[in-house]
Amino acid sequence: MSRKLIIAANWKMNKGPAETEAFLEKFLAAAADLTDQADLIIAPNNLSIPTASALINDVNPSVGLAAQTVSENDNGAFTGETSTDMLKELFVNYVIIGHSERRSIYGETNAQINAKLKKALAADITPLFCIGETLAEREGGQLETVLGSQIKEGLEGISDISNVVIAYEPVWAIGTGVTATAEQAQDTHKFCRSVIEDLYGADAAAAVRIQYGGSVKGANSAELLGQPDIDGALVGGAALEADSFLELIRNAVA
Ligand code: 13P
């Protein structure tokens, strides 16, 4: 089963509308040659989504647009939150759910992440469903237990995962410059795929795309994304400049 690469830029709390426009003017034209080979996605801050949406629709609608989180509720008294309907109105077609920063800083639980995944899927927005262990958990021999329960509890009650992308991001590799080795990442991706196989069967496991995230850059994207079970990347720091993000993508698809 061949799985199309999927490479996403998670800008986190960086870039307002002006910087978003400057990045996309450079990136979208250059990305035209690359979207056949990989699904490319930009996840700006919510305030920059309208700017990104307009430019993507004008210049290169094959580039995906993601939010960095979404509410598990439809509308109402949820100060600060954003609904799937609001995202749809701006042509957002992906959403990052369960990023480790949302889990650790804002206390998102597997149950809440499950509710957000269901809400995104009901709105036909593809979730990039993030999982990952801390260094203490890995060193304490809990890697498989932690990832297994994040996957099982996150996907509970979801019968069809054909529109779910998984993003494995070891917490210790995020923003640290320390990447998992290609072998560590491949082994962990293979384990995650085996959990999906237990839950959904061999065909679903062979089809599901699993991104790696954590200090991916131009110098390591080819090796990491060349692993058999690594189907893309979720990129923070190296996706803040159009040139470095393009280099990362070009090296990965080469
Ligand atoms: P870095 O690429 O900066 O390590 O961030 C990874 C990440 O958290 C993407 O969601």
Side-chain angles (χ1 to χ4, degrees):
M1 159 97 45
S2 85
R3 296 178 293 265
K4 190 175 182 190
L5 287 177
I6 177 164
I7 303 177
N10 175 11
W11 285 348
K12 310 189 179 184
M13 198 173 73
N14 296 290
K15 295 193 194 296
E19 284 184 284
T20 295
E21 186 174 338
F23 178 106
L24 288 177
E25 274 174 355
K26 202 164 181 184
F27 178 77
L28 291 174
D33 294 345
L34 298 166
T35 42
D36 280 351
Q37 297 160 79
D39 289 333
L40 303 180
I41 303 160
I42 305 289
N45 168 275
N46 275 354
L47 285 182
S48 299
I49 282 181
T51 303
S53 180
L55 280 167
I56 287 172
N57 282 326
D58 271 3
V59 183
N60 189 346
S62 57
V63 170
L65 179 59
Q68 298 176 10
T69 183
V70 71
S71 174
E72 62 272 41
N73 297 294
D74 285 330
N75 53 49
F78 302 100
T79 301
E81 294 293 296
T82 306
S83 71
T84 48
D85 279 354
M86 295 167 189
L87 297 180
K88 293 286 281 188
E89 198 173 330
L90 290 167
F91 307 104
V92 171
N93 44 7
Y94 293 88
V95 60
I96 299 169
I97 291 181
H99 191 278
S100 73
E101 288 147 21
R102 301 290 321 168
R103 292 176 186 263
S104 67
I105 305 171
Y106 301 103
E108 280 187 14
T109 61
N110 287 334
Q112 219 175 343
I113 289 161
N114 175 249
K116 287 171 188 258
L117 287 170
K118 287 176 175 159
K119 195 56 76 181
L121 290 169
D124 203 22
I125 297 176
T126 302
L128 309 180
F129 165 35
C130 299
I131 55 169
E133 83 290 358
T134 63
L135 191 57
E137 288 164 344
R138 179 175 273 264
E139 288 178 344
Q142 293 172 278
L143 175 71
E144 297 194 350
T145 314
V146 169
L147 296 180
S149 53
Q150 287 176 343
I151 295 172
K152 285 182 195 131
E153 291 174 33
L155 295 176
E156 187 158 344
I158 295 171
S159 56
D160 177 3
I161 57 154
S162 55
N163 198 22
V164 175
V165 174
I166 295 174
Y168 167 60
E169 299 203 303
V171 176
W172 46 273
I174 294 177
T176 57
V178 180
T179 338
T181 63
E183 191 187 357
Q184 277 173 324
Q186 163 56 25
D187 285 351
T188 312
H189 279 232
K190 196 170 169 194
F191 167 73
C192 294
R193 204 176 294 286
S194 76
V195 175
I196 294 296
E197 180 164 353
D198 290 346
L199 295 171
Y200 295 96
D203 289 350
V208 70
R209 293 187 289 179
I210 309 178
Q211 299 174 299
Y212 170 79
S215 299
V216 183
K217 49 185 191 267
N220 59 26
S221 63
E223 191 190 7
L224 283 162
L225 275 63
Q227 301 301 312
D229 286 293
I230 302 184
D231 308 310
L234 184 54
V235 186
L240 288 172
E241 297 299 330
D243 287 338
S244 63
F245 192 40
L246 285 163
E247 182 198 356
L248 181 160
I249 297 163
R250 287 200 183 101
N251 291 350
V253 301

